[in-house]
């Protein structure tokens, strides 16, 4: 049994990285607890679902009634999503992820990983289910496009749920970079650059957004470099944050290297 678990962990580390592997292993180790807890939840609160809560006029009251138990239910719902993820059951996985987000809407992990699953895993499962490499490029592109649209809808909700947090826009930029390349063969650098610009103008700014924005300008839009440098110079003049000043100085220095 240990050898089998080791092999599973090894495969997931090589394919999906440490983060997803940790979630997967946690799902295996906690499976007995998760199953029994989920059964108890279903017995006592069979009406709990993302659809039922969203359609209820008294959603706020219903959630308030759950009190501190909401986060426990959210974790259980997320573990159920991992269970369905391991079975490649997209519909059930998405439903449980939505329930987790509804019960614990301020849990950023739920939102970001929901987007990743919808954008990357679901279309991959669809393509594999239809024959993998036997599926034409045109059909694969369409599958990725639909998945991207679904992910963008969820990202729009994230922007409202986490206002002023630049990490939402940087994540959206990274997703757009990858998915537009899958859809059309060429990344939409114009769109990506716009998202990094929105991240830089948020209240909470991931430091790498400045460097990403500058690098895209240098490599893809050299005619815009003077305007981009002016933008960073103005930001440098008007900021009082020592840490932000240091980042802006490094970005400007990179233009001359």
């Amino acid at each position: 049994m240990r050898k089998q678990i080791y092999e599973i962990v090894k495969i997931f580390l090589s394919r999906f990285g440490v983060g997803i592997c940790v979630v997967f292993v946690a799902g295996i180790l906690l499976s007995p607890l998760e199953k029994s807890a989920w059964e108890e939840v279903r017995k006592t609160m069979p009406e709990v679902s993302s659809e039922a809560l969203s359609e209820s006029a008294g959603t706020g009251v219903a959630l308030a009634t759950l009190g501190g138990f909401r986060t426990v239910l959210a974790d259980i719902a997320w573990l159920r999503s991992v269970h369905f993820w391991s079975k490649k059951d997209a519909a059930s996985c998405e439903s449980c992820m939505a329930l987790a987000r509804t019960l614990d809407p301020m849990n950023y992990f739920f939102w970001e990983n929901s987007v990743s699953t919808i954008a990357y895993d679901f279309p991959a499962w669809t393509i594999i289910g239809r024959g993998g490499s036997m599926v034409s490029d045109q059909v694969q592109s369409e599958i990725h496009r639909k998945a991207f649209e679904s992910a963008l809808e969820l990202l729009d909700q994230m922007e409202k749920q986490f206002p002023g947090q630049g990490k939402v826009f940087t994540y959206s930029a990274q997703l757009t970079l990858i998915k537009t390349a899958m859809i059309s063969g060429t990344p939409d650098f114009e769109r990506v650059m716009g998202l990094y610009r929105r991240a830089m103008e948020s209240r909470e700014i991931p430091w790498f957004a400045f460097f990403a924005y500058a690098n895209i300008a240098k490599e893809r839009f050299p005619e815009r470099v003077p305007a981009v440098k002016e933008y960073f110079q103005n930001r440098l003049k008007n900021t009082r944050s020592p840490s932000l000043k240091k980042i802006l100085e490094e970005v400007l220095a990179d233009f001359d290297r």
Side-chain angles (χ1 to χ4, degrees):
M1 183 65 179
R2 287 185 178 180
K3 185 177 181 181
Q4 291 176 335
I5 294 177
Y6 173 79
E7 290 300 322
I8 292 172
V9 172
K10 184 177 180 181
I11 291 172
F12 268 77
L13 274 173
S14 63
R15 291 185 180 179
F16 304 108
V18 177
I20 293 178
C21 183
V22 169
V23 174
F24 180 77
V25 173
I28 294 175
L29 297 178
L30 296 177
S31 182
L33 174 61
E34 172 258 322
K35 288 181 180 178
S36 61
W38 183 255
E39 287 303 317
E40 289 302 313
V41 170
R42 292 190 64 180
K43 289 177 184 178
T44 58
M45 302 187 70
E47 73 282 5
V48 174
S49 70
S50 60
E51 293 83 1
L53 287 175
S54 63
E55 293 173 1
S56 172
T59 297
V61 175
L63 293 178
T65 302
L66 294 175
F69 194 49
R70 283 172 54 182
T71 56
V72 176
L73 285 174
D75 290 340
I76 294 172
W78 190 261
L79 283 175
R80 281 303 280 177
S81 77
V82 174
H83 165 75
F84 290 119
W85 177 86
S86 69
K87 293 181 177 296
K88 294 183 173 59
D89 184 343
S92 298
C93 179
E94 185 171 7
S95 179
C96 286
M97 291 191 300
L99 176 57
R101 296 193 306 272
T102 300
L103 291 168
D104 190 3
M106 295 310 296
N107 189 320
Y108 187 85
F109 173 89
F110 291 163
W111 289 88
E112 184 174 288
N113 283 273
S114 292
V115 172
S116 293
T117 302
I118 291 170
Y120 300 118
D121 295 332
F122 288 179
W125 297 346
T126 300
I127 292 169
I128 291 172
R130 294 187 184 183
S133 59
M134 300 298 292
V135 180
S136 68
D137 291 343
Q138 183 178 358
V139 173
Q140 289 193 40
S141 176
E142 180 63 15
I143 291 171
H144 283 298
R145 185 188 64 78
K146 290 181 178 179
F148 184 44
E149 288 178 352
S150 297
L152 288 179
E153 289 178 4
L154 197 54
L155 280 166
D156 287 340
Q157 296 178 41
M158 284 181 68
E159 291 179 25
K160 298 173 183 176
Q161 191 65 42
F162 303 97
Q165 294 196 19
K167 62 183 178 181
V168 176
F169 297 114
T170 55
Y171 181 69
S172 183
Q174 293 162 354
L175 178 74
T176 298
L177 186 70
I178 295 171
K179 294 301 293 187
T180 53
M182 289 181 172
I183 294 168
S184 64
T186 304
D188 187 344
F189 290 106
E190 184 79 50
R191 189 172 182 176
V192 172
M193 200 171 179
L195 287 165
Y196 277 125
R197 181 67 173 258
R198 293 184 69 183
M200 293 188 300
E201 294 174 352
S202 301
R203 290 194 301 273
E204 297 181 24
I205 314 170
W207 63 269
F208 61 86
F210 295 97
F211 292 94
Y213 183 79
N215 286 334
I216 293 175
K218 288 188 293 183
E219 296 176 7
R220 300 292 171 174
F221 306 102
E223 72 282 358
R224 300 184 191 178
V225 168
V228 171
K229 288 178 66 175
E230 184 179 1
Y231 170 78
F232 284 124
Q233 289 167 349
N234 289 332
R235 287 291 298 268
L236 181 60
K237 291 178 183 177
N238 297 319
T239 185
R240 296 181 180 180
S241 169
S243 58
L244 182 54
K245 282 185 178 181
K246 184 176 180 181
I247 291 172
L248 292 169
E249 288 171 349
E250 291 179 2
V251 172
L252 285 167
D254 283 344
F255 279 106
D256 300 323
R257 290 173 185 169

